[in-house]
Amino acid sequence: MSERIFKMYSPLTGELYQAGEYEYEDSVDEYNGEELLPYAKDIEKAVKAYTDNGTVDLMKYFYESEYVKQHVRSLVPSVEVWNGRLYGCTTVRADEDLSEPGWDKLMDYLSGQYSDGWGEGFEQREIETEEGLLYVHFWQDHDFNFTVEEVTPSKKYEITDIEHPKDPGLHRIRALRRVSETVGPGTLGGYIQSEENLSQENDGAWIYGEAICCESAIVTKGGFLTDHARASGSALISGEAEIGGYARVRDRAIVTGGTVQENALVCGEAVVRKNVATESVPLVEGHATVMGTVAGAVYLGADAFILPGNTVDNPTNSVLAINGTHVRLYNIEQVKPPKSPER
């Protein structure tokens, strides 16, 4: 399920005890969010030091609703300049199914944390500034509310500085938002040469493990590479397609359905896809080579070779197996579309 990121802004107030010649004055200046702006870095540093002491994710202490716990992944407090003022900022990572009553429970919980829990502890911490000691409140007993804005990254992933050990032109990817059940924000993926190699859309397409997509090849619309697979040239990996093992898809080959794995090669003008009528997909493995078209419930193994211009399209749900020079039709369960690996 897709992850969405929100920021919940709430007002901040503060009290500054001025530094005297020998000690701090008894008089106190009360500040609002606009007046706290000059102390933003000091407050941010204090919040970070406090949250690093084991209370980074406030969802760890949430027990009020199992529903909310199922749909909210983290709740991290901070401060942020917003609309010309310094605000308390709670970053919420939730899925798209969090309902309005769920949000209400979340806000009630945060109000309690800021008045009696996390916020009560923080407001007792001294924040040293050049002018004196500052105490900051995430909670006020009047005019307290939350303003929620969605800030889900538009991009699915970023290209990191982690180079491929043998090809410095390739770099690992890191997810910026949830891609699938097993790929959340921060998850490292395989290697690409540029953003042209992997879709930035919310389409489930991903590159796992040590897999590589380079040159003008692209993985998109739910397709994925796993293990040590490699897509290059102008290859297209899309839809219900998995390339795994040490398989290679190169040149102008297109794989939109089925699994290509082990040491199989799909090249030239090859097409590997599902059958339109049965929606069954091929399985290509071993040292099989595809240069023509393969569709439907077809199994290619050993040294099977589909020549350019040739088409093997099985219109039945029985599996047509081609192992080298041996061909046989098996009345067994059709080859299933691949599923994203659990990593």
Side-chain angles (χ1 to χ4, degrees), residues 265-282:
L265 171 64
V266 180
C267 60
E269 307 286 343
V271 176
V272 179
R273 60 173 174 81
K274 68 180 179 181
N275 177 272
V276 177
T278 65
E279 296 192 346
S280 297
V281 294

Side-chain angles (χ1 to χ4, degrees), residues 14 25 38 68 71-72 92 98 109 113 128-129 132 144 161 192 194 198 200 211 247 256 260 274 277 292 304 310 312:
E25 305 285 350
V68 174
H71 295 286
V72 178
V92 183
L98 184 61
Y109 168 68
Q113 278 288 343
E128 293 187 5
T129 71
F144 181 84
D161 294 330
I192 63 174
S194 73
L198 176 63
Q200 286 281 12
T256 59
V260 181
K274 68 180 179 181
N310 287 3
V312 179

